[in-house]
Structures are given as structure tokens and as C-alpha cells.
């Protein structure tokens, strides 16, 4: 089940709001079936939750494999990746165990959640009229708050490198706040690049370089 959306003033986004909790059956990396609850990661890990339309489809296959291939980079950032569609955990397993040359995806290094009642995709605002989910990505911080939300229409594959870039920006900002010198990340910022003080003087200093 999923908690209802905590929308305020008609906003069509979850950014800055607590991520609706859920508890779903999942196909795990070892193909076992387990229940996964979002709140179990609170205080422990960042979460990247991505939704996709359906198993045994096309763009989805390329995305799931890419998220999986970048598992070590996510782990280095203390991130738990969760994939989710409205398929059952059994269909997830069947897709993973279908050879790539026959439209399958092979082993996946993170859980694939089964939102068969469509409660989670509804709570997260990515349920389409046809019953499928948009291509959405939600970056959730360790306090359980949504810090980034990205949504694509079905023909448009996502850029997992951009997900990583936003994670780096969030973690950089959090570290600067903790150290008592808050910094924000300007347009096209990448890890190691110059950041900006959130003041008028900080903007001027940024443009000098």
C-alpha cells in the first residue's frame, strides 16, 4: 500500500515533500521475492526510485540495464536504487530470466517492485490514463524527503548520468550546509566544478571566473 500524496496548494510535484511511503512485493537481485518498504531506508540511505511503463517493452529495457550497470556508482554515493512498474514480481523475474537477444534484460542489481494495485504510481503522480506509469525518477534524501523529480513521456528514454549529477549536487549542497558554509549548484554543475554562494555577491563572484 502507499500513503496518499501530501500535496499543498494544488502543487503538481512532490519536491520538498515527504515521499509517500509504500510496502510492495519485489523481485530481488537474486530473483527471490521479498517485501520492500520505502521507510526502511530512512536515516540510512538516499533512494532513487524510478518508474517505468511495463516489462517486456523497449525503451524500458535499455533504462533498467543502464541503472543496473551503474550500481557501483550508486553504492559509492550511499544510494539504494528501486525500479517500479505495475507488473507482478513474477513478470519481473520472467523478464530478467529472458535472454537479451530475445527481448529480456538479464540480471539486475537492484529490486524491481510490483505495484499491481497502481497505488504507488498514483500517489507519486505518474499514473497515465492507460494504466501505465510515466518514466519518472524521484531522488529521496535520507530524511525521506523528495529532492528531485524528473518525468518523461513514454518514447523518451532517461539519462542516468543526469540522475547521478543531481545526486552529486544534492550531496555537495548538504555537505556545505553541514559545514556551515552553504553553497548551491549553478546550471550544468558537475562534481568538482565551481559552486555558488546563495547571495547576490555569490552570483557576482561566480560570473567573475
Amino acid at each position: 500500500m502507499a500513503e496518499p500524496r501530501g500535496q499543498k496548494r494544488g502543487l503538481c510535484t512532490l519536491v520538498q515533500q515527504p515521499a509517500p511511503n509504500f510496502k510492495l512485493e519485489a523481485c530481488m537481485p537474486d530473483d527471490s521475492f521479498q517485501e520492500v518498504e520505502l521507510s526502511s531506508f530512512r536515516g540510512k540511505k538516499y533512494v532513487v526510485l524510478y518508474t517505468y511503463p511495463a516489462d517486456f517493452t523497449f525503451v524500458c529495457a535499455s533504462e533498467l540495464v543502464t541503472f543496473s550497470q551503474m550500481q557501483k556508482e550508486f553504492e559509492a554515493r550511499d544510494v539504494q536504487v528501486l525500479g517500479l512498474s505495475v507488473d507482478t514480481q513474477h513478470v519481473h523475474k520472467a523478464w530478467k530470466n529472458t535472454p537479451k537477444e530475445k527481448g529480456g534484460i538479464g540480471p539486475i542489481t537492484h529490486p524491481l517492485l510490483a505495484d499491481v494495485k497502481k497505488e504507488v504510481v498514483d500517489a507519486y503522480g505518474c499514473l497515465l490514463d492507460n494504466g501505465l506509469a510515466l518514466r519518472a525518477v524521484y531522488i529521496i534524501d535520507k530524511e525521506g524527503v523528495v529532492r528531485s523529480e524528473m518525468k518523461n513521456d513514454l518514447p523518451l528514454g532517461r539519462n542516468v548520468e543526469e540522475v547521478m549529477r543531481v545526486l552529486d549536487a544534492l550531496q555537495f549542497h548538504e555537505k556545505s550546509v553541514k559545514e556551515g558554509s552553504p553553497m548551491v549548484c549553478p546550471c550544468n554543475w558537475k562534481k568538482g566544478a565551481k559552486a555558488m554562494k546563495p547571495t547576490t555577491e555569490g552570483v557576482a563572484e561566480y560570473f567573475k571566473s
Side-chain angles (χ1 to χ4, degrees):
M1 292 185 64
E3 293 177 346
R5 302 183 73 184
Q7 297 291 6
K8 299 178 181 179
R9 298 185 301 278
L11 290 176
C12 295
T13 180
L14 286 171
V15 174
Q16 296 189 351
Q17 298 187 53
N21 190 41
F22 54 77
K23 185 185 291 185
L24 293 173
E25 287 293 324
C27 182
M28 305 302 286
D30 64 358
D31 281 348
S32 65
F33 298 144
Q34 294 182 28
E35 202 169 58
V36 173
E37 184 169 11
L38 179 64
S39 62
S40 68
F41 304 108
R42 192 170 300 161
K44 302 173 185 177
K45 288 182 177 290
Y46 297 87
V47 173
V48 167
L49 170 68
Y50 71 89
T51 64
Y52 63 97
D55 294 340
F56 290 97
T57 56
F58 324 112
V59 176
C60 299
S62 67
E63 293 179 323
L64 269 70
V65 169
T66 302
F67 272 108
S68 184
Q69 290 172 339
M70 297 182 72
Q71 176 70 15
K72 289 185 178 179
E73 295 183 54
F74 284 115
E75 288 177 350
R77 292 161 173 81
D78 209 17
V79 175
Q80 174 64 56
V81 177
L82 301 173
L84 181 150
S85 78
V86 298
D87 301 281
T88 69
Q89 64 270 34
H90 301 284
V91 179
H92 290 333
K93 181 176 179 179
W95 198 23
K96 290 168 63 180
N97 284 279
T98 300
K100 289 182 180 179
E101 60 269 22
K102 294 186 178 180
I105 54 176
I108 296 295
T109 55
H110 54 268
L112 298 181
L113 309 181
D115 185 21
V116 293
K117 294 183 179 180
K118 305 179 183 180
E119 294 175 336
V120 177
V121 291
D122 187 34
Y124 278 75
C126 58
L127 178 62
L128 294 169
D129 290 341
N130 63 6
L132 301 179
L134 284 171
R135 302 187 188 285
V137 180
Y138 305 88
I139 296 178
I140 303 167
D141 67 18
K142 288 188 175 182
E143 301 304 313
V145 175
V146 178
R147 304 300 296 273
S148 175
E149 182 181 86
M150 314 173 202
K151 293 178 181 177
N152 287 12
D153 199 357
L154 304 190
L156 311 176
R158 288 164 282 197
N159 186 337
V160 184
E161 293 285 354
E162 174 64 6
V163 177
M164 203 70 68
R165 188 193 72 83
V166 175
L167 276 166
D168 286 340
L170 171 59
Q171 294 181 355
F172 172 84
H173 170 70
E174 289 180 332
K175 184 173 183 289
S176 72
V177 171
K178 187 175 181 180
E179 292 174 347
S181 182
M183 301 289 285
V184 292
C185 301
C187 180
N188 292 333
W189 182 91
K190 291 184 179 180
K191 191 173 184 178
K194 184 176 181 179
M196 179 190 294
K197 294 179 182 178
T199 63
T200 302
E201 293 78 14
V203 175
E205 181 183 346
Y206 174 78
F207 283 123
K208 281 182 182 178
S209 59

